Amino acid sequence: MGPRKTKDDGEEVTLMYSKHEKIQMKDFSAEIRATLDIAHFLNQAVLLLDLTETNLECVVELMLHKMLDAEEPQCTVAEAKSLLFTSDSALHLLSRTIQGACSTEGGTNFDYDQSWICALCNLPTLQRRRVAITRLKHPANFGRTSYEVRLFVLVICPSKEKGTKNAVEMGRTFSTILADINFRQKLIEAHTEEEFKQLILKQTHQLAYEQSKAEKRCDDDNGDGQDYEYEEKLCQFGRGIRGDIFRRLPHYISDYRDGFMDTRTIHKIISTTMFLYFACVLPAIAFGVLNDHNTEGKIDVKKVIAGQTIGGIFYVVFSGQPLLILLTTAPLALYIKIIHIISEDFDLDFFAVYCCVGLWNSLFLVIYALFDVSRIMHWSTRSTEEIFAFFISIAFCVDASGDTIKSFKQYYYSPVCKGNISSERFNISASTLSLPCSRESSILFLLLMLGTLWLSVSIYNFNKTPYLQASKREALADYSLPMAVITVSFIGSYFFGDVELERFQYSERPVFNISQLQKLSTKAVLGSGILGFALSVLFFMDQNITSAMVNNPCNKLKKGPAYHLDLFVVAILNAALSIFGLPWMHATLPHSPLHVRGLADVEERVDQGHVYEIIVKVRETRLTGLFSHILIGLSMFLLPYPLAYIPTAVLDGLFLYMAVTALNGNQMFERITLLFMEQAAYPPNHYIRRVPQRKIHAFTAFQVFQLIVMCVFGYAPVVYLKMIFPFIILFLLPVSLGTENVEDSRHRLVPMFIEDRYLEALDGEHQ
């Protein structure tokens, strides 16, 4: 540090010298000193849990007193602090630290692990090496790259110590253990000092085992390649399903057992179950109303709830990836409407045509699964997933807006509200004139819908506020949807009971209708095959895009995907639903990613004032899907009351909530918002740092164009034109298809305008 210079305004300017150096992780399987250090120093280490102090200097001073006062009387705290901190007393910066950093390929961008830091120094008067570990009760700001520190390790060593025992080596040992984000979460949740120490010892042995196993794999990879040749000789038919079964079967029991690991997990299971219940049963009611209208009552609310219960439980039990959530959707309701129109036009039995189309669809899906067609999803990039997720959010907004417009046309802008008029003069039907002038109904509809959206989003984001304790904030966020639905429904039904509100209709028609295929002619069966093929493309794309988003590396799932097996299970399930006249279902957005988010532990990080979250771990269990669909089945006994007290406006508010929360983490949406920001407010993320602004906006424009094409066909006024919509989704892949190497060049069309090195940052999978 150089001499000080005083500015005109009185501020002192100093020169700071810093040096960054990359050090290797400790190899616990090969370096015997690492394991000995952990076992030896844990017995003598100073361990402070849930320290309320957040000031760096105070924390260090407390740790030094614990380490030195009784055991090292010749060493002073002041001497240790002078070596731990910079020599300038006005700058409380740690002089030597070890911290984790995650870097991308090529090292062009890296991100610090801000939840822990290891400080170290050498003391000339120290007799032996000493370690102190502190777990802070609340995240603390310890410096420019340490905004959210929860774990702090302090290592001090004698100056004259051999190389294998110096401060850097000891710090490297403990830092290697803390580098695992999943393990850090376990340390934060430990209740006692003994549990804390046992976790560290267990992690040490686990690291030694994993590292030795990794070395053995490397040795095996240098063999003669006989296993690879044997694998190539295997029959390709059904190979993907076999691989999924062998990958997921060993985890099947743990898929249930992992739901009872600890108290925190049980709380997550309960909150996520309640979220899934409301997030599934309310759309089921909404789409049941839509199908009831489209099919003249042939498929109603009761059928949708029954199909959701049966399909959800069947999928949870037999699927490979249980975190996927199956639902009937708006595009499926549209196909049901098309089938009803065709059956009416050609005087065919609706349930027979419906069953025939469903069986053709299942047949094509089985073929896709057995011949590993899902492999083409390797060509689906992040861009394709973001566009499809954005389209789903738009679809939810369109559904909610449509109901709002309908309410205003029916009540607020009703001809009856415009004065004394005659039906002859304005050609108004008698049924319309019989409706009362009830503008307050439309206003209340709008308030309840927006109130549901506001309350649910506010509670969902409550964990980002400084109020209450972190555990209570997280609990409120986990129950945001059920709290909002119950609260707003009560307000609408109790405080505004005298205002007419639209609620879904309930009928006592039979739930199961066995289809009679013998009523169809050969031409009708073959014609149904065309509809079934188009439907299978929609199933294939929706199912696999949702699976890709759930199995994204950012979610840190450990048990592996099961694309082919899940597609096969969905095919068998929908064949059964078709036979009994129940609505079809497949994996949907945003329910599936939100299911993953509900079961996840997250860690907040701060970069230049911008706060973002990363997933630490996800509890991969089947219990949430199983319990939530059991509750949905029990809801059959709540019809028509009390579910009938939920206004349609609250259902639309739920749709808006799904649309808003689905955009969290959608980089396409984030890049669109950049168009309305000044450059100084741009978040310091990876693509902002690596890609010119002009290229960012050009890439976003390509995505918006593809989204517009999807919307044009998805919301075409001609019903039959909407049948092309699944193929539009499929045609997005050539835009994102690699020319030679999928990992090196991901697009055919976009590289004409944007270089590959920029595409890797904008459309890379591992962000």
Side-chain angles (χ1 to χ4, degrees), residues 139-317:
N141 185 352
F142 280 4
R144 185 172 57 87
T145 62
S146 309
Y147 292 112
E148 298 282 330
V149 173
R150 289 294 304 276
L151 297 169
F152 181 46
V153 179
L154 179 58
V155 176
I156 54 177
C157 291
S159 298
K160 295 181 179 180
E161 194 70 82
K162 66 179 184 178
T164 58
K165 296 183 178 181
N166 61 24
V168 174
E169 288 300 313
M170 283 195 61
R172 188 163 71 101
T173 299
F174 284 91
S175 296
T176 300
I177 295 178
L178 293 180
D180 187 341
I181 187 173
N182 192 16
F183 175 68
R184 292 201 303 271
Q185 189 66 29
K186 294 179 181 179
L187 291 181
I188 292 174
E189 296 171 0
H191 295 90
T192 63
E193 291 188 8
E194 184 61 29
E195 181 183 357
F196 194 95
K197 292 179 179 179
Q198 290 301 319
L199 284 172
I200 295 179
L201 285 174
K202 182 179 179 181
Q203 179 70 1
T204 304
H205 297 302
Q206 182 69 20
L207 278 174
Y209 173 74
E210 291 177 355
Q211 289 169 345
S212 63
K213 205 164 66 168
E215 292 177 0
K216 185 177 180 181
R217 279 199 302 267
C218 291
D219 294 338
D220 293 341
D221 290 342
N222 294 328
D224 56 6
Q226 291 180 354
D227 292 339
Y228 174 80
E229 293 177 0
Y230 173 74
E231 186 70 21
E232 287 297 315
K233 293 178 181 179
L234 290 176
C235 177
Q236 299 294 315
F237 181 79
R239 179 180 175 184
I241 294 180
R242 291 198 305 270
D244 291 342
I245 293 175
F246 291 146
R247 184 185 308 111
R248 293 292 310 198
L249 190 59
H251 303 291
Y252 190 80
I253 300 300
S254 67
D255 286 343
Y256 296 95
R257 187 176 60 241
D258 290 351
F260 302 100
M261 288 190 300
D262 49 52
T263 304
R264 182 180 177 85
T265 297
I266 294 176
H267 289 165
K268 281 285 186 181
I269 294 296
I270 295 174
S271 63
T272 306
T273 297
M274 295 305 299
F275 163 77
L276 285 181
Y277 170 71
F278 283 94
C280 292
V281 74
L282 296 183
I285 293 173
F287 288 123
V289 173
L290 180 61
N291 285 322
D292 191 4
H293 178 265
N294 291 339
T295 63
E296 299 179 357
K298 295 181 177 66
I299 296 181
D300 56 7
V301 174
K302 200 171 182 180
K303 279 180 172 290
V304 175
I305 294 179
Q308 183 67 42
T309 303
I310 296 171
I313 294 176
F314 180 88
Y315 183 81
V316 166
V317 173

Side-chain angles (χ1 to χ4, degrees), residues 528-565:
S528 299
I530 299 175
L531 289 174
F533 175 70
L535 183 62
S536 71
V537 175
L538 177 64
F539 265 79
F540 177 81
M541 296 302 299
D542 282 12
Q543 178 73 28
N544 282 290
I545 288 178
T546 305
S547 298
M549 296 186 70
V550 166
N551 292 292
N552 191 291
C554 297
N555 292 331
K556 297 181 173 63
L557 302 183
K558 304 295 184 182
K559 299 180 180 180
Y563 291 94
H564 314 284
L565 176 60

Side-chain angles (χ1 to χ4, degrees), residues 50-51 53 59 134-140 142 149-151:
D50 298 330
L51 191 66
E53 185 63 62
V59 172
T134 296
R135 186 182 70 187
L136 302 177
K137 188 175 182 63
H138 306 289
F142 280 4
V149 173
R150 289 294 304 276
L151 297 169

